[in-house]
Amino acid sequence: MCKFRYLLAAGLLPLALAAGLSGCGSKSDDKAAIAKPKKAISLLPEKIRMMIRDGNYTNVEKALKTELKTLAQSKNPKTGLTAENPGALQMATVLEVIRSTSPQVMTKMCREGKGKFLEAFLNDQSWMELYLGAGMVPWHNDTGLGILAEIWEKDGKSGDFDAYKPLACALASVWGGGEGYTPPLQTRSRATHNPYWRYNFFKNRHQEGALYPGFEKLRPWELRFVVGIPQQDWDDQSYAWCAENINLPWNRYTSACWAAPYANINAFGNNVQTADYYVPWPAESDAQKTQLNGGVCGGLSHLGTVAAQAHGIPAFTVGQPGHCAYAIRLERGKWTGAYMGPDGGMHNWIFLRGSAPTSFRLMEEVFKDDASIERAYRQSFIARAHDAVGSPEARDAWAAAVAMAPLHPSFRQELQKRMASAGTTPQEWLDYATNMLKGYKGHGYAALDILKDVEEAIMPSMLDAQRRMWLAAEHRALAGTPGSWALKLEPVLQKQSSWFQSDGAKRSFLEDVLTIHMTEGQGAGLGQVIEWAVNEYAGKGKEKEALFEDAFRKAADAASSPGSGTPSANGTERADNLKKAYGKAIVAAEKAHSIPAFQTLTAAARQYLGLDSRPETLKERLPGTLVSDKGCIRFSSLAERWDSPETHGEILTRRGGKSHSQKEKSVEAVVTLERPVKLSGIIVRKADGNEQRMKKATLSISTDGATWFPLAETDHMPKVWVVEADPDTKAGYVKLTFHNEGGGEFAHISHFLIYKR
């Protein structure tokens, strides 16, 4: 039997281990033993409890404010308006429930027969904390509390109800939405999307031992990612069907999407974009219809997500340009992408929608320690109560909440509002921002969202030197943020640059940014910085081009002397460092898929390194015009020790350059052309030395960079491989792939030339 332990007073979930579970999603014969819960003890004043019983929440709100205002005047932390005073904490928590729901909505709920539930809920501190700490709190509607009321009315007298309060709160949160957000799920018919049905579904399967062992350790904010998909939810029966029909080893739910075939056209010839696609199967669940009929990325990703959720595994679907993917999570902090996830527009989130592409990473960091985040939320209720009664301690109370959860976006923004109203000076804001941003390395875009309103208000009154310090701190946070196609630096840089008026100030700003992204973090943003700078300054006149070139070289100097920030004195060393800087920048431009940045940097490196004077090293030619030299090349892997990125651009010319991959089973080089052309042919030449490493190779072509078609293949690639194309062959992208056996092999080429007719 599974044994459960409870820490109900602290609002903790049961910590039982699910004994007897196998490594797959099959049911266990054991049923979970549920301990009898302890009764919640209310610390509310008797007159407040009487008013709650009466059901007029406008009066309850007024009475709470009167009581809390008196407590706010006390300097004793044990008896004042502090989290150390349990009675004050419970009153502040009730006030927060009323604020988020509204007294009018709660009074209406009483008139509709939900008064007994509200009385039980508001007298239970741990239950309120579970509800308020589950993520976005349902805002000025009865959806969230209404769901809790229904579950309580039907299951509240069961001996194990307290153990499943976290599950109930997660359902209330997912259906309820939050301030400024009403999920589409809220408008779905309860006949097909019923939160009480799902409560019983997960409760029963948990007691049967049929869920992932980690399920019972999940907090309400984590359970949000189990019980539904707020944006594009599937019906209840899909969960039941997936539970019975898709059972995999726990770590294989990233492949659950392939339980259905990928099919754009169904068996009757209907396109997936039409309403008739699933008509032949009107009675089955969304999941079964997809498994029977197939679907494209959206259907398959939802199938994979619901299959994982039905087995108690957190998962979310995610929108990407022209694609839908998903992700699953088997342990805290580790979301595993499935079907090209997890980056993109999440269909479930804890914080505001604006931070969706990377909010799952920030969410994991904010909520990683149960005890700390619980204390922080309690302190936020106290801070909100200080606000409500006009206490001068409100700012300090919010500062205390931030100190307990430094990365929580909402707490930060609340503190910043109080700082703004207190007349904080530009220098004080600078000190605050630079200190705050140190903690947001890895979450730079979230930090920019949090600071956006402050920045708009304070930047005009700052000196250029102060602006540079502030923005440098932002870019240090951005440089440490993992890369994602969903994160765009161009609008950030455009806005930041606009704060500077003179060319000298703009040059210094660009130098700062380039230096930081060259020397710090993962380098994910360097390509985007260079792409923006090229678009902003290259080809815009000699003065602007000189500004970019000067800023780049100064940044390269600074990057070569980390710590001192001064240029190298030795000329040879300086030249070597600048060569490395060009190489690093060129690789970044390749990763950004930016032809303008790649071409600009290649031209600058070519001039600086004297590559123009090198003779052509290739005798073979094809009819037509060489077009690869106007494009961009990128590689699937590069071995820094042997690669020469400053010559990558030369690989696309008859002079030739050099690339060197890491030891891989499959090595790719992709050329992006300036525009699609009719191909005459392709010439690939191996770099000198160890040519025998590269044997089996294929050439593929594409017009969109996503869908590839084979052009030629060889099992014994010669030193110079010349491939002529059929007359009507058109391509905008050309891919060279080396297929290596065993443990993999290195690959190195000197030429990759593409000719058009």
Side-chain angles (χ1 to χ4, degrees):
M1 287 289 185
C2 295
K3 303 297 182 183
F4 284 74
R5 293 177 287 130
Y6 302 96
L7 293 174
L8 295 176
L12 297 180
L13 286 169
L15 301 177
L17 296 176
L21 279 173
S22 67
C24 65
S26 60
K27 295 181 180 179
S28 166
D29 292 332
D30 287 341
K31 290 189 177 181
I34 303 296
K36 187 176 182 179
K38 297 178 181 179
K39 185 177 180 180
I41 299 174
S42 176
L43 298 175
L44 293 174
E46 178 62 25
K47 66 177 181 180
I48 300 291
R49 283 184 294 191
M50 291 293 292
M51 296 175 80
I52 289 173
R53 201 168 299 145
D54 181 57
N56 186 324
Y57 280 89
T58 299
N59 291 340
V60 175
E61 184 180 46
K62 289 179 181 178
L64 285 168
K65 289 180 180 179
T66 299
E67 292 287 330
L68 292 167
K69 187 171 185 177
T70 300
L71 293 179
Q73 296 169 2
S74 172
K75 300 300 181 183
N76 188 332
K78 299 295 184 181
T79 59
L81 183 46
T82 68
E84 288 77 19
N85 181 348
L89 175 62
Q90 186 161 356
M91 285 192 284
T93 308
V94 172
L95 187 62
E96 180 62 7
V97 172
I98 295 173
R99 185 190 76 89
S100 59
T101 311
S102 93
Q104 293 78 18
V105 168
M106 293 179 71
T107 300
K108 182 173 178 287
M109 289 178 68
C110 282
R111 292 172 183 161
E112 293 172 348
K114 296 182 175 63
K116 290 291 185 183
F117 155 73
L118 289 174
E119 187 178 351
F121 179 67
L122 298 176
N123 280 287
D124 188 332
Q125 179 67 23
S126 65
W127 195 3
M128 288 190 291
E129 288 184 18
L130 290 172
Y131 175 75
L132 293 171
M136 298 181 75
V137 181
W139 184 253
H140 286 195
N141 65 66
D142 63 352
T143 302
L145 292 183
I147 288 169
L148 292 186
E150 181 183 4
I151 294 172
W152 178 81
E153 288 164 358
K154 295 178 178 179
D155 195 51
K157 293 182 180 179
S158 67
D160 54 14
F161 175 65
D162 277 28
Y164 294 99
K165 282 178 179 175
L167 175 62
C169 289
L171 287 158
S173 182
V174 165
W175 254 262
E179 188 172 4
Y181 169 61
T182 301
L185 175 58
Q186 194 176 112
T187 62
R188 296 292 184 92
S189 169
R190 291 294 176 91
T192 54
H193 298 75
N194 191 308
Y196 181 66
W197 183 94
R198 294 198 194 183
Y199 172 82
N200 279 319
F201 170 79
F202 286 107
K203 176 180 176 179
N204 293 336
R205 283 184 59 77
H206 174 252
Q207 292 187 340
E208 292 168 3
L211 297 182
Y212 179 61
F215 172 83
E216 57 197 21
K217 299 179 183 179
L218 299 178
R219 307 288 291 158
W221 65 271
E222 296 167 291
L223 287 164
R224 282 178 56 92
F225 295 90
V226 174
V227 299
I229 309 172
Q231 279 293 97
Q232 299 174 0
D233 194 60
W234 272 8
D235 56 17
D236 298 333
Q237 292 310 306
S238 289
Y239 286 82
W241 187 87
C242 285
E244 294 300 323
N245 293 279
I246 303 180
N247 290 283
L248 301 168
W250 302 122
N251 63 349
R252 292 287 305 280
Y253 279 89
T254 51
S255 300
C257 58
W258 300 114
Y262 186 96
N264 189 46
I265 306 295
N266 70 8
F268 297 90
N270 302 120
N271 189 285
V272 72
Q273 303 298 334
T274 68
D276 297 329
Y277 188 79
Y278 290 116
V279 166
W281 294 277
E284 286 84 0
S285 66
D286 293 330
Q288 189 175 6
K289 284 190 287 190
T290 301
Q291 194 273 334
L292 286 170
N293 199 28
V296 292
C297 56
L300 269 60
S301 290
H302 275 74
L303 182 64
T305 298
V306 173
Q309 291 176 330
H311 292 84
I313 299 171
F316 63 74
T317 50
V318 53
Q320 299 176 352
H323 182 64
C324 182
Y326 72 107
I328 71 167
R329 175 181 177 270
L330 297 177
E331 60 180 293
R332 275 201 180 176
K334 295 184 179 180
W335 287 94
T336 303
Y339 205 179
M340 297 171 64
D343 289 335
M346 294 166 61
H347 297 152
N348 194 347
W349 49 82
I350 294 293
F351 306 124
L352 299 178
R353 293 183 67 179
S355 59
T358 56
S359 63
F360 67 93
R361 295 193 186 102
L362 180 62
M363 171 186 70
E364 292 289 343
E365 191 68 26
V366 169
F367 287 89
K368 68 180 179 181
D369 181 76
D370 291 342
S372 295
I373 196 62
E374 285 168 359
R375 286 195 300 271
Y377 267 101
R378 290 169 189 153
Q379 180 60 35
S380 77
F381 307 149
I382 294 294
R384 189 74 72 181
H386 276 286
D387 281 334
V389 302
S391 167
E393 304 296 323
R395 174 174 168 174
D396 289 343
W398 279 113
V402 167
M404 295 174 187
L407 300 183
H408 198 297
S410 300
F411 296 175
R412 280 276 175 192
Q413 289 177 325
E414 293 295 342
L415 173 60
Q416 289 167 188
K417 289 176 186 176
R418 278 77 193 169
M419 291 174 65
S421 63
T424 303
T425 67
Q427 184 59 48
E428 288 170 337
W429 275 120
L430 175 61
D431 294 340
Y432 165 80
T434 52
N435 184 63
M436 166 215 169
L437 287 161
K438 291 176 184 177
Y440 277 85
K441 288 185 178 180
H443 308 286
Y445 289 87
L448 264 60
D449 283 343
I450 294 166
L451 285 171
K452 181 180 178 181
D453 291 342
V454 174
E455 194 170 274
E456 290 283 345
I458 203 67
M459 278 291 168
S461 61
M462 287 187 132
L463 301 174
D464 279 348
Q466 291 174 313
R467 294 188 185 107
R468 284 180 62 188
M469 290 179 65
W470 181 306
L471 299 179
E474 287 187 347
H475 279 280
R476 289 190 180 94
L478 290 168
T481 300
S484 165
W485 61 265
L487 302 174
K488 304 300 182 185
L489 258 179
E490 187 272 335
V492 173
L493 291 162
Q494 198 67 28
K495 183 63 178 178
Q496 291 176 339
S497 180
S498 72
W499 296 122
F500 301 97
Q501 302 305 314
S502 70
D503 284 348
K506 289 181 182 292
R507 182 187 298 109
S508 295
F509 164 70
L510 180 57
E511 180 186 332
D512 291 342
V513 173
L514 286 168
T515 301
I516 289 166
H517 286 275
M518 281 183 185
T519 57
E520 299 186 27
Q522 302 180 356
L526 180 59
Q528 292 192 56
V529 173
I530 291 171
E531 182 176 24
W532 171 78
V534 167
N535 290 334
E536 185 75 6
Y537 297 109
K540 303 291 178 66
K542 291 183 179 180
E543 289 185 2
K544 285 188 174 291
E545 289 182 346
L547 187 153
F548 169 70
E549 183 177 347
D550 187 47
F552 181 85
R553 294 197 178 189
K554 285 183 177 179
D557 274 336
S560 71
S561 304
S564 67
T566 58
S568 305
N570 184 293
T572 302
E573 183 182 355
R574 181 181 183 280
D576 186 54
N577 287 328
L578 191 55
K579 175 182 173 181
K580 291 178 181 178
Y582 273 121
K584 186 173 183 178
I586 287 169
V587 171
E590 293 169 6
K591 291 180 179 178
H593 302 186
S594 172
I595 290 178
F598 179 82
Q599 285 290 328
T600 298
L601 289 165
T602 293
R606 182 182 297 134
Q607 180 181 11
Y608 180 76
L609 300 173
L611 300 179
D612 278 326
S613 60
R614 296 173 61 204
E616 294 184 356
T617 57
L618 194 68
K619 296 180 180 179
E620 290 78 4
R621 291 182 180 273
L622 283 169
T625 305
L626 181 69
V627 290
S628 51
D629 60 342
K630 300 294 191 297
C632 172
I633 190 169
R634 64 184 186 274
F635 302 88
S636 58
S637 76
L638 293 169
E640 185 176 345
R641 181 177 177 183
W642 298 294
D643 187 52
S644 300
E646 71 280 359
T647 70
H648 283 180
E650 301 306 287
I651 293 172
L652 304 178
T653 74
R654 297 186 59 79
R655 289 185 295 273
K658 183 181 178 182
S659 71
H660 199 302
S661 77
Q662 297 182 34
K663 195 172 186 179
E664 307 278 2
K665 288 187 176 181
S666 178
V667 178
E668 293 181 351
V670 179
V671 175
T672 302
L673 299 177
E674 191 176 22
R675 60 182 61 86
V677 299
K678 283 190 175 182
L679 293 182
S680 168
I682 299 163
I683 301 175
V684 180
R685 182 184 185 276
K686 300 177 182 178
D688 295 333
N690 298 300
E691 290 90 338
Q692 76 283 358
R693 289 172 171 168
M694 297 158 285
K695 297 177 181 177
K696 189 174 182 179
T698 60
L699 280 167
S700 308
I701 56 175
S702 172
T703 56
D704 60 8
T707 307
W708 295 90
F709 300 95
L711 178 68
E713 62 180 348
T714 177
D715 289 335
H716 300 283
M717 180 180 167
K719 174 85 174 192
V720 179
W721 188 20
V722 181
V723 175
E724 295 189 34
D726 292 336
D728 293 327
T729 304
K730 191 174 183 180
Y733 304 82
V734 180
K735 178 167 64 177
L736 170 68
T737 306
F738 289 108
H739 307 278
N740 302 313
E741 298 178 353
E745 189 51 273
F746 298 103
H748 33 89
I749 61 173
S750 63
H751 295 75
F752 193 160
L753 307 185
I754 300 165
Y755 289 81
K756 74 171 184 178
R757 293 187 181 277

